[in-house]
Amino acid sequence: MTDSTGAAGSSAAVIGPSSTVPRAGWHVATVSSTRRETPSAARIELDVDGWPGNAAGQHLDIRLTAEDGYTASRSYSIASSGDGTRVVLAIDRLPDGEVSPFLVDVVQSGDRLEVHGPLGAFFVWRPRTERDAARPVQLIAGGSGVVPLYAMAQAHADADDPTPFRLLYAVRTPDDVYFADELAAIAAAPAPLRLDFVYSRRTPPGTATPPGRITRERLADATIPAGDRPIVYVCGSTGFVELVASWLIDLGHDPRDIRTERFGGT
């Protein structure tokens, strides 16, 4: 669930608001599979009739309609990208939510959903061309905010793109990591990706660094330096995003190079 904000900056391997993105529209999606992603989240794969494809980092709206006609709509980041009608979501259940508990605990294969998208033209990444100047990309995720950043990392690996990529993932415990196996595979792929974790509650066995929340010092140690002029994508809760963005500016990053997306409704 997202609310996109941020300041635009020129970059290789990104598209801005003026770039061409697939046209959004309402579609009927059929749930092709669903499974547990973390103790509180589900991965849902959809087959979306008429889906025009989407860029890595975009999102969509899901609208649910009750028997009495009441509707509720929420936005969710897309964990997949490219052409075709397959769309992957990873949705965290919020206890007081109207939509997420239904999607995580009730939806089954064969169910049909109304979706609107793809949406967003700012918080996106595409493989660079030979004409692009090589600028590194830093991804920073808080909890389920990793979903659109995972889509970017996967697109980067699929394209065998040489752009330096680094992902800093702040998460409570190893059990709460989204796309754990896929991220490990991406980090081992030829396309350069450095993967760093900050665990706030429990670390994997054998980890030397004790658990703790992300700090400005840990952020500085685990991200591309401002002097290398990376494009930075930050996604997570509002508090996480605002804190990290302020630290990045303190560390010398140009605000125009910081793109943020924060959690919205439930």
Side-chain angles (χ1 to χ4, degrees):
M1 289 168 288
T2 57
D3 171 30
S4 299
T5 59
S10 60
S11 166
V14 297
I15 59 176
S18 62
S19 302
T20 300
V21 294
R23 183 181 296 275
W26 282 102
H27 306 274
V28 175
T30 302
V31 177
S32 57
S33 68
T34 179
R35 67 176 177 85
R36 190 64 57 184
E37 182 68 28
T38 73
S40 64
R43 185 186 307 196
I44 302 173
E45 295 196 18
L46 305 174
D47 183 25
V48 185
D49 186 34
W51 187 253
N54 63 276
Q58 288 191 288
H59 61 281
L60 55 70
D61 293 338
I62 294 181
R63 182 171 64 192
L64 303 181
T65 303
E67 292 183 0
D68 62 2
Y70 174 77
T71 62
S73 180
R74 297 291 184 268
S75 296
Y76 294 98
S77 297
I78 302 172
S80 54
S81 65
D83 299 329
T85 62
R86 174 179 173 271
V87 173
V88 180
L89 307 176
I91 297 173
D92 190 30
R93 183 204 314 108
L94 301 182
D96 297 328
E98 282 190 303
V99 176
S100 62
F102 176 82
L103 295 175
V104 172
D105 298 325
V106 180
V107 161
Q108 300 178 4
S109 296
D111 288 347
R112 307 185 85 185
L113 303 170
E114 289 182 286
V115 302
H116 181 234
L119 302 170
F122 177 71
F123 196 84
V124 294
W125 181 89
R126 280 182 173 165
R128 69 183 179 91
T129 68
E130 293 181 358
R131 295 177 298 173
D132 292 326
R135 291 184 64 186
V137 173
Q138 176 68 58
L139 311 174
I140 304 174
S144 60
V146 77
V147 174
L149 306 185
Y150 163 72
M152 296 178 189
Q154 186 64 68
H156 175 253
D158 290 343
D160 197 18
D161 188 285
T163 304
F165 255 55
R166 190 167 182 177
L167 169 60
L168 172 60
Y169 190 179
V171 66
R172 289 172 296 186
T173 75
D175 294 336
D176 297 303
V177 174
Y178 285 60
F179 305 103
D181 293 340
E182 290 87 348
L183 285 172
I186 292 171
L193 172 72
R194 179 169 176 178
L195 183 58
D196 303 278
F197 289 95
V198 174
Y199 297 98
S200 62
R201 296 186 182 178
R202 177 169 55 84
T203 62
T207 302
T209 304
R213 291 186 179 275
I214 192 169
T215 63
R216 176 177 162 175
E217 291 70 27
R218 297 184 80 174
L219 180 74
D221 290 341
T223 54
I224 300 171
D228 292 346
R229 298 186 62 240
I231 297 297
V232 186
Y233 296 83
V234 187
C235 187
S237 66
T238 296
F240 175 87
V241 169
E242 291 180 349
L243 186 61
V244 167
S246 68
W247 285 339
L248 289 169
I249 294 170
D250 290 344
L251 292 169
H253 292 269
D254 190 327
R256 294 170 296 179
D257 292 337
I258 303 170
R259 301 177 176 224
T260 64
E261 186 162 276
R262 58 197 74 198
F263 296 163
T266 58

